[in-house]
Amino acid sequence: MNKMARTFNKGRNMASGLALWSSLLHLLVLVMCVQGTGGRKMSETQDGDGHETTHTEHARAHHPSSHIHHHMDPSFMIFFTLEDLKEGKTMAIYFPKRNPSKSPHLLPREEADQIPFSSKHLLHLLHFFSFSQDSPQAKAMEDTLRQCEIEPIKGEIKSCSTSLESMLDFTRGVFGLDTPFSVVATTHLTNSTTNFQNYTILEEPKEILAPKMVACHTMPYPYAVFYCHSQKSVNKVFKVLLGGEDGDRVEAVAVCHLETSQWSPNHASFSVLRTKPGPSAVCHFFPADNLVWVPASTSM
């Protein structure tokens, strides 16, 4: 237990900040070129119905089998249709502004593997991290573990990565051992603190011609966990330059899923877009701390 405690403390005490997160992204790209980021902090002051629950549900919104009672929470205003993806289109979009200095970082595999990651060990984990069973942190951990243990839908493969190495191994397994790959992510070009506002597409969106993609979403946990998945159905990846009402500028990554027949009819996107599972495309923007992996030979 002492070794595990030292492991977690080491992860929590790593240097942080915007520069570190940017460096991590560049490091990931460099690693992929040679071989040819994290969850939210769970402080004791969190409210059970506050920001962290919103973040949990936002992450779950990307999972096609999720059942979410969102009641049109602004954090679900990330969805749009393929027809919306054109210059001059204005949409209300939610972009969470998260402070990387308050977020834990990916642990090295040898450290992450020492900490159990299973709902079977939830009580032990709550004791280890000093969270009470009825705390919002306990609820967030339970939700994350449950989402990670749900069986994938037909045509989907998934993995919850607790280390950089496990994320790269999963991505390599999707693309093939001999296929180099790189990462793209949403970039905020200004320092706006507004989470939810109208954005206008400032120029024609640029499609990233990727035959396959792996999306990795941050999940709330005491250390960084990424929910990574890939679907066999046809997907399109785009870079979209957006301008907000308050002058905010965002180079956003968006993905359009062209086949949703295997998705749960209760998925939040269908309520937002007023559509149903089937051939109707569902598109969504990615927050800045999510990653999209594509083959390195992809036209970007």
Side-chain angles (χ1 to χ4, degrees), residues 78-264:
I78 58 173
F79 300 105
F80 59 96
T81 67
L82 196 56
E83 290 71 27
D84 293 326
L85 206 56
K86 57 187 178 183
E87 184 178 356
K89 177 68 177 181
T90 297
M91 296 178 279
I93 306 171
Y94 179 84
F95 280 115
K97 305 299 194 300
R98 299 174 184 139
N99 185 350
S101 68
K102 296 183 179 179
S103 297
H105 304 285
L106 280 166
L107 300 179
R109 171 179 277 158
E110 62 270 19
E111 297 181 4
D113 286 352
Q114 295 177 43
I115 306 174
F117 189 78
S118 168
S119 57
K120 295 186 299 183
H121 299 287
L122 180 60
L123 292 179
H124 165 73
L125 290 167
L126 293 177
H127 177 72
F128 173 58
F129 292 117
S130 301
F131 295 142
S132 63
Q133 294 185 40
D134 58 351
S135 66
Q137 294 87 356
K139 174 69 164 57
M141 289 179 65
E142 182 180 14
D143 286 348
T144 290
L145 291 170
R146 183 168 58 247
Q147 286 296 314
C148 289
E149 293 171 353
I150 290 176
E151 288 296 317
I153 64 171
K154 183 178 179 181
E156 179 192 39
I157 53 176
K158 53 173 277 194
S159 175
C160 280
S161 300
T162 58
S163 67
L164 173 60
E165 294 91 337
S166 62
M167 186 192 304
L168 298 182
D169 282 350
F170 175 77
T171 305
R172 190 177 296 110
V174 172
F175 294 140
L177 297 179
D178 298 325
T179 302
F181 46 94
S182 56
V183 66
V184 293
T186 291
T187 302
H188 290 270
L189 306 177
T190 54
N191 293 320
S192 171
T193 58
T194 304
N195 287 335
F196 183 53
Q197 63 175 310
N198 287 327
Y199 284 89
T200 300
I201 299 178
L202 299 179
E203 59 185 36
E204 194 65 25
K206 300 174 183 177
E207 183 175 359
I208 299 173
L209 299 175
K212 292 182 179 180
M213 57 156 281
V214 173
C216 292
H217 312 284
T218 53
M219 301 292 283
Y221 211 69
Y223 55 91
V225 173
F226 280 82
Y227 179 103
C228 298
H229 64 137
S230 181
Q231 299 176 38
K232 291 184 179 179
S233 58
V234 179
N235 305 289
K236 290 180 178 289
V237 185
F238 296 90
K239 283 186 177 180
V240 187
L241 183 62
L242 300 167
E245 288 179 320
D246 68 348
D248 190 23
R249 291 293 183 272
V250 182
E251 186 178 68
V253 172
V255 169
C256 291
H257 305 280
L258 305 189
E259 168 57 51
T260 60
S261 59
Q262 297 297 319
W263 291 26
S264 165

